[in-house]
Structures are given as structure tokens and as C-alpha cells.
Amino acid sequence: MSSRMSLPLVVHEPGAGHAPVVPFLRLSALWIQITGTWCNLECTHCINASGPDEPWLKPIAPEVARAAMREADELGVKEIYFTGGEPFLHGEILALLADALVVAPTTVLTNGTLIDEAMADRLAALARAAAYSLEIRVSLDDTDPEKNDRVRGAGAFNKAVRAIQLLHERGLLPIVTATEITSHEHAGGRGMYERFRGFLAGLGIEKPRVKILPVFALGRLSREGGRRLTEEDLEGFERGTLQCSESRVVADGGVYACPILAGLPGAKLSDGGLEASFRDAPLYHPSCVTCHETGMTCKNG
Ligand code: SF4
């Protein structure tokens, strides 16, 4: 798998011309989109329209990931993230995590459905032996199985919850990541954080960790048009607070500004080299409005 296929109809790509830009300040986070848009699930809100059939963004070869980690190490990277698609579909994910953990604290973002006892044991062993911390982020969109599986697919809830329990039993304290996709269905109830924390506490997790993300009009929720940022919007705004000022993503075809826009031609900043991507990035996409308005980051913190 080497060449990228054309964008699917569900991924609309506006032009980057005349967009405001964000300066590059430092390399804090290296993201590796290891499986491209290849996933065993097909969530209705997926920001890059991942799925099991013919990923439009291909997985990257292990040597590409290793070269990026070596370069990032030389450039002083502080954190490494593996994402996709579903990273645990990649045949070399454990070896790559081991390599990453020599360089920096490392996080893998997963739907959790492929983490069984054996995988949880391997991840725990990796974490014990590593020089840096290993974080596992497991996606779960609702504490109600029916609502979750309506978004993420039949059976996804039980498998993700099982993964959370297996990791917790081995001391890995997973971060549960949820989007606000079903939050309107809980109007009048407890807030999302409280609801998720209560749910995890009910599983016996003494120190629940929850990260909430906004929903982006991107990927399967993409639509044509949509407001875009202007210079006027950014007057008095500190652009260095946007994650694209300090993150870069290695994915098939090159290096991109941020994990949200990985694979989109307008967000591509270099054909391969990380340092070559250290330049202004255009804030050209409607998703940049969401970042600007919500202050969100894809990072753990
Ligand atoms: S989507 Fe967010 S992180 Fe990505 S380039 Fe736009 S503002 Fe930056």
C-alpha cells in the first residue's frame, strides 16, 4: 500500500488560498497516522471517514514512522501519538510503540475493540520496560450502550469497556475519549465529564480519566461550504495556542499540520521531512473555526 487514493465524497476540501496562517513555534507533538484511514469500525462521526474498505489514506510503512521518530528526536519532540484509523490493525504497532517509548512519552488512540487479554498483557509489559510513559486512549462516545453503538457500530461498547477494564487491571489507567455527538440526548442530566467519570467509577476505576472532544464538521459529517476563519476573526487572538503551531502529523503522502486535517492536500506542509514542514500553516478549513472557538487540542492535556 503506497499511493494515496482520491478523497472520498464525504471529505470536502476547500482551497487554502487567502486563508490566515498560524506560525510554527516548536515541535511539541509528533503524530503518526500509522493506519491511515483503515479501521475495523465505521463510526458515523469519524473525522477522516475511516473504515474497513479501501482506506482513502493508506497506512504508512514502519520505516517511514521510524524515520519520523528519529528526526523528531533530533528536533526535541516532547510527545508522540499514534492514530489512524485503528492503530492496532497495524502489524508492527507494538514494535513501533517500543521504538517511540525510547524517544518520548507515547500515546496510542484506539477504539479498544482489538485489545484482548494477550494484547493488554503486551501493552503492560511495554509500559513497565519503557523509559517514558505509555498512554492508551480508548474511544467511547456514550455511557449508554445503545447510544454508543448507534454511532460506533454494534458491539463496540462492550468491547471498548472490556478493553478499559483489561488495561485498568494491569495498571495502565486508560484515558477514555468521548465526543459530544450524543450529548444532546442527555439534556438536563449530569454534564458529560460527570457522567463518564461516574460510569468509570462504577466499573471500579478509582482514578477515572476522561477527555471530551467537540464534533467536527469533517469526514463523515463533512458538508460543503461552512464558515472559514478570517484575519478579522483572529485579531487579538494568540495563534500560538492552536495545536498546529506545535504539532506535525506524518501520514501517507507527507507531513501535515494537524491530526484533524491529516491527508488533506490543503494541510500538507512537506513531502516527507519533518523539519521541512516547520513553516506557516494555512487556517483554511471550517474545522479551524471549531479549534478557534473551542480551544480544543487533540493532545491528552
Ligand atoms: S483544524 Fe485546528 S489544529 Fe488543524 S490547522 Fe485548523 S486550527 Fe490548526
PDB file of all heavy atoms in Angstrom, residues 29-47:
ATOM      1  N   ALA A  29       4.522  17.951  19.664  1.00  0.00           N
ATOM      2  CA  ALA A  29       3.880  16.637  19.462  1.00  0.00           C
ATOM      3  C   ALA A  29       4.067  16.146  18.038  1.00  0.00           C
ATOM      4  O   ALA A  29       3.750  16.855  17.080  1.00  0.00           O
ATOM      5  CB  ALA A  29       2.390  16.737  19.770  1.00  0.00           C
ATOM      6  N   LEU A  30       4.588  14.936  17.924  1.00  0.00           N
ATOM      7  CA  LEU A  30       4.622  14.242  16.631  1.00  0.00           C
ATOM      8  C   LEU A  30       3.475  13.251  16.608  1.00  0.00           C
ATOM      9  O   LEU A  30       3.363  12.404  17.501  1.00  0.00           O
ATOM     10  CB  LEU A  30       5.941  13.482  16.459  1.00  0.00           C
ATOM     11  CG  LEU A  30       5.974  12.515  15.263  1.00  0.00           C
ATOM     12  CD1 LEU A  30       5.959  13.272  13.947  1.00  0.00           C
ATOM     13  CD2 LEU A  30       7.184  11.587  15.346  1.00  0.00           C
ATOM     14  N   TRP A  31       2.636  13.363  15.609  1.00  0.00           N
ATOM     15  CA  TRP A  31       1.555  12.403  15.408  1.00  0.00           C
ATOM     16  C   TRP A  31       1.919  11.490  14.249  1.00  0.00           C
ATOM     17  O   TRP A  31       2.450  11.960  13.230  1.00  0.00           O
ATOM     18  CB  TRP A  31       0.250  13.134  15.087  1.00  0.00           C
ATOM     19  CG  TRP A  31      -0.344  13.845  16.270  1.00  0.00           C
ATOM     20  CD1 TRP A  31       0.084  15.012  16.820  1.00  0.00           C
ATOM     21  CD2 TRP A  31      -1.467  13.421  17.055  1.00  0.00           C
ATOM     22  NE1 TRP A  31      -0.698  15.341  17.899  1.00  0.00           N
ATOM     23  CE2 TRP A  31      -1.664  14.389  18.061  1.00  0.00           C
ATOM     24  CE3 TRP A  31      -2.335  12.325  16.998  1.00  0.00           C
ATOM     25  CZ2 TRP A  31      -2.683  14.288  19.000  1.00  0.00           C
ATOM     26  CZ3 TRP A  31      -3.353  12.226  17.928  1.00  0.00           C
ATOM     27  CH2 TRP A  31      -3.518  13.194  18.916  1.00  0.00           C
ATOM     28  N   ILE A  32       1.636  10.223  14.398  1.00  0.00           N
ATOM     29  CA  ILE A  32       1.897   9.263  13.329  1.00  0.00           C
ATOM     30  C   ILE A  32       0.574   8.587  12.991  1.00  0.00           C
ATOM     31  O   ILE A  32      -0.004   7.874  13.813  1.00  0.00           O
ATOM     32  CB  ILE A  32       2.948   8.229  13.767  1.00  0.00           C
ATOM     33  CG1 ILE A  32       4.266   8.945  14.113  1.00  0.00           C
ATOM     34  CG2 ILE A  32       3.159   7.190  12.671  1.00  0.00           C
ATOM     35  CD1 ILE A  32       5.351   8.048  14.653  1.00  0.00           C
ATOM     36  N   GLN A  33       0.097   8.862  11.791  1.00  0.00           N
ATOM     37  CA  GLN A  33      -1.185   8.270  11.393  1.00  0.00           C
ATOM     38  C   GLN A  33      -0.881   6.914  10.764  1.00  0.00           C
ATOM     39  O   GLN A  33      -0.864   6.745   9.552  1.00  0.00           O
ATOM     40  CB  GLN A  33      -1.929   9.184  10.430  1.00  0.00           C
ATOM     41  CG  GLN A  33      -3.383   8.784  10.370  1.00  0.00           C
ATOM     42  CD  GLN A  33      -4.264   9.868   9.837  1.00  0.00           C
ATOM     43  OE1 GLN A  33      -3.781  10.839   9.290  1.00  0.00           O
ATOM     44  NE2 GLN A  33      -5.547   9.715   9.973  1.00  0.00           N
ATOM     45  N   ILE A  34      -0.650   5.978  11.650  1.00  0.00           N
ATOM     46  CA  ILE A  34       0.003   4.734  11.264  1.00  0.00           C
ATOM     47  C   ILE A  34      -0.852   3.857  10.347  1.00  0.00           C
ATOM     48  O   ILE A  34      -0.328   3.219   9.445  1.00  0.00           O
ATOM     49  CB  ILE A  34       0.458   3.964  12.537  1.00  0.00           C
ATOM     50  CG1 ILE A  34       1.414   2.850  12.181  1.00  0.00           C
ATOM     51  CG2 ILE A  34      -0.700   3.477  13.374  1.00  0.00           C
ATOM     52  CD1 ILE A  34       2.762   3.330  11.744  1.00  0.00           C
ATOM     53  N   THR A  35      -2.151   3.827  10.553  1.00  0.00           N
ATOM     54  CA  THR A  35      -3.009   3.001   9.696  1.00  0.00           C
ATOM     55  C   THR A  35      -3.801   3.839   8.701  1.00  0.00           C
ATOM     56  O   THR A  35      -4.756   3.328   8.091  1.00  0.00           O
ATOM     57  CB  THR A  35      -3.987   2.151  10.540  1.00  0.00           C
ATOM     58  OG1 THR A  35      -4.546   2.972  11.558  1.00  0.00           O
ATOM     59  CG2 THR A  35      -3.290   0.961  11.159  1.00  0.00           C
ATOM     60  N   GLY A  36      -3.423   5.104   8.525  1.00  0.00           N
ATOM     61  CA  GLY A  36      -4.198   5.944   7.608  1.00  0.00           C
ATOM     62  C   GLY A  36      -5.653   5.957   8.039  1.00  0.00           C
ATOM     63  O   GLY A  36      -5.967   6.179   9.212  1.00  0.00           O
ATOM     64  N   THR A  37      -6.544   5.689   7.097  1.00  0.00           N
ATOM     65  CA  THR A  37      -7.975   5.663   7.429  1.00  0.00           C
ATOM     66  C   THR A  37      -8.511   4.223   7.426  1.00  0.00           C
ATOM     67  O   THR A  37      -9.704   3.994   7.210  1.00  0.00           O
ATOM     68  CB  THR A  37      -8.787   6.541   6.460  1.00  0.00           C
ATOM     69  OG1 THR A  37      -8.496   6.127   5.117  1.00  0.00           O
ATOM     70  CG2 THR A  37      -8.425   8.010   6.613  1.00  0.00           C
ATOM     71  N   TRP A  38      -7.629   3.293   7.718  1.00  0.00           N
ATOM     72  CA  TRP A  38      -8.034   1.885   7.795  1.00  0.00           C
ATOM     73  C   TRP A  38      -8.486   1.572   9.214  1.00  0.00           C
ATOM     74  O   TRP A  38      -7.697   1.715  10.162  1.00  0.00           O
ATOM     75  CB  TRP A  38      -6.868   1.000   7.395  1.00  0.00           C
ATOM     76  CG  TRP A  38      -7.161  -0.467   7.392  1.00  0.00           C
ATOM     77  CD1 TRP A  38      -8.349  -1.071   7.079  1.00  0.00           C
ATOM     78  CD2 TRP A  38      -6.243  -1.516   7.698  1.00  0.00           C
ATOM     79  NE1 TRP A  38      -8.226  -2.431   7.172  1.00  0.00           N
ATOM     80  CE2 TRP A  38      -6.946  -2.732   7.554  1.00  0.00           C
ATOM     81  CE3 TRP A  38      -4.902  -1.549   8.076  1.00  0.00           C
ATOM     82  CZ2 TRP A  38      -6.339  -3.974   7.784  1.00  0.00           C
ATOM     83  CZ3 TRP A  38      -4.295  -2.782   8.302  1.00  0.00           C
ATOM     84  CH2 TRP A  38      -5.007  -3.972   8.146  1.00  0.00           C
ATOM     85  N   CYS A  39      -9.730   1.151   9.357  1.00  0.00           N
ATOM     86  CA  CYS A  39     -10.290   0.892  10.681  1.00  0.00           C
ATOM     87  C   CYS A  39     -11.244  -0.290  10.591  1.00  0.00           C
ATOM     88  O   CYS A  39     -11.832  -0.544   9.546  1.00  0.00           O
ATOM     89  CB  CYS A  39     -11.032   2.135  11.186  1.00  0.00           C
ATOM     90  SG  CYS A  39     -11.532   2.026  12.918  1.00  0.00           S
ATOM     91  N   ASN A  40     -11.426  -0.990  11.701  1.00  0.00           N
ATOM     92  CA  ASN A  40     -12.406  -2.085  11.719  1.00  0.00           C
ATOM     93  C   ASN A  40     -13.806  -1.590  12.050  1.00  0.00           C
ATOM     94  O   ASN A  40     -14.767  -2.339  11.949  1.00  0.00           O
ATOM     95  CB  ASN A  40     -11.977  -3.187  12.694  1.00  0.00           C
ATOM     96  CG  ASN A  40     -11.768  -2.680  14.107  1.00  0.00           C
ATOM     97  OD1 ASN A  40     -11.415  -1.508  14.300  1.00  0.00           O
ATOM     98  ND2 ASN A  40     -11.979  -3.509  15.094  1.00  0.00           N
ATOM     99  N   LEU A  41     -13.928  -0.318  12.484  1.00  0.00           N
ATOM    100  CA  LEU A  41     -15.243   0.277  12.704  1.00  0.00           C
ATOM    101  C   LEU A  41     -15.486   1.333  11.621  1.00  0.00           C
ATOM    102  O   LEU A  41     -14.583   1.685  10.855  1.00  0.00           O
ATOM    103  CB  LEU A  41     -15.323   0.928  14.092  1.00  0.00           C
ATOM    104  CG  LEU A  41     -15.104   0.019  15.310  1.00  0.00           C
ATOM    105  CD1 LEU A  41     -15.352   0.796  16.593  1.00  0.00           C
ATOM    106  CD2 LEU A  41     -15.979  -1.222  15.258  1.00  0.00           C
ATOM    107  N   GLU A  42     -16.699   1.874  11.615  1.00  0.00           N
ATOM    108  CA  GLU A  42     -17.064   2.882  10.611  1.00  0.00           C
ATOM    109  C   GLU A  42     -17.987   3.897  11.291  1.00  0.00           C
ATOM    110  O   GLU A  42     -19.162   4.008  10.946  1.00  0.00           O
ATOM    111  CB  GLU A  42     -17.785   2.186   9.450  1.00  0.00           C
ATOM    112  CG  GLU A  42     -17.577   2.827   8.121  1.00  0.00           C
ATOM    113  CD  GLU A  42     -18.018   1.902   6.977  1.00  0.00           C
ATOM    114  OE1 GLU A  42     -18.449   0.759   7.232  1.00  0.00           O
ATOM    115  OE2 GLU A  42     -17.924   2.344   5.829  1.00  0.00           O
ATOM    116  N   CYS A  43     -17.466   4.604  12.271  1.00  0.00           N
ATOM    117  CA  CYS A  43     -18.292   5.476  13.115  1.00  0.00           C
ATOM    118  C   CYS A  43     -18.925   6.596  12.281  1.00  0.00           C
ATOM    119  O   CYS A  43     -18.294   7.132  11.363  1.00  0.00           O
ATOM    120  CB  CYS A  43     -17.447   6.076  14.231  1.00  0.00           C
ATOM    121  SG  CYS A  43     -16.653   4.810  15.248  1.00  0.00           S
ATOM    122  N   THR A  44     -20.127   6.966  12.679  1.00  0.00           N
ATOM    123  CA  THR A  44     -20.889   7.926  11.872  1.00  0.00           C
ATOM    124  C   THR A  44     -20.269   9.323  11.881  1.00  0.00           C
ATOM    125  O   THR A  44     -20.528  10.119  10.990  1.00  0.00           O
ATOM    126  CB  THR A  44     -22.334   8.046  12.395  1.00  0.00           C
ATOM    127  OG1 THR A  44     -22.281   8.444  13.773  1.00  0.00           O
ATOM    128  CG2 THR A  44     -23.082   6.735  12.282  1.00  0.00           C
ATOM    129  N   HIS A  45     -19.445   9.637  12.909  1.00  0.00           N
ATOM    130  CA  HIS A  45     -18.900  10.990  13.053  1.00  0.00           C
ATOM    131  C   HIS A  45     -17.393  11.026  12.805  1.00  0.00           C
ATOM    132  O   HIS A  45     -16.742  12.024  13.121  1.00  0.00           O
ATOM    133  CB  HIS A  45     -19.184  11.515  14.451  1.00  0.00           C
ATOM    134  CG  HIS A  45     -18.552  10.688  15.548  1.00  0.00           C
ATOM    135  ND1 HIS A  45     -18.257   9.363  15.387  1.00  0.00           N
ATOM    136  CD2 HIS A  45     -18.160  11.001  16.802  1.00  0.00           C
ATOM    137  CE1 HIS A  45     -17.709   8.900  16.499  1.00  0.00           C
ATOM    138  NE2 HIS A  45     -17.634   9.868  17.372  1.00  0.00           N
ATOM    139  N   CYS A  46     -16.837   9.954  12.244  1.00  0.00           N
ATOM    140  CA  CYS A  46     -15.372   9.865  12.119  1.00  0.00           C
ATOM    141  C   CYS A  46     -14.810  11.056  11.326  1.00  0.00           C
ATOM    142  O   CYS A  46     -15.253  11.334  10.204  1.00  0.00           O
ATOM    143  CB  CYS A  46     -14.995   8.565  11.425  1.00  0.00           C
ATOM    144  SG  CYS A  46     -13.213   8.374  11.288  1.00  0.00           S
ATOM    145  N   ILE A  47     -13.810  11.738  11.904  1.00  0.00           N
ATOM    146  CA  ILE A  47     -13.301  12.963  11.286  1.00  0.00           C
ATOM    147  C   ILE A  47     -12.530  12.699   9.992  1.00  0.00           C
ATOM    148  O   ILE A  47     -12.295  13.626   9.229  1.00  0.00           O
ATOM    149  CB  ILE A  47     -12.398  13.799  12.234  1.00  0.00           C
ATOM    150  CG1 ILE A  47     -11.172  13.009  12.670  1.00  0.00           C
ATOM    151  CG2 ILE A  47     -13.181  14.330  13.406  1.00  0.00           C
ATOM    152  CD1 ILE A  47     -10.108  13.872  13.330  1.00  0.00           C
TER     153      ILE A  47
END
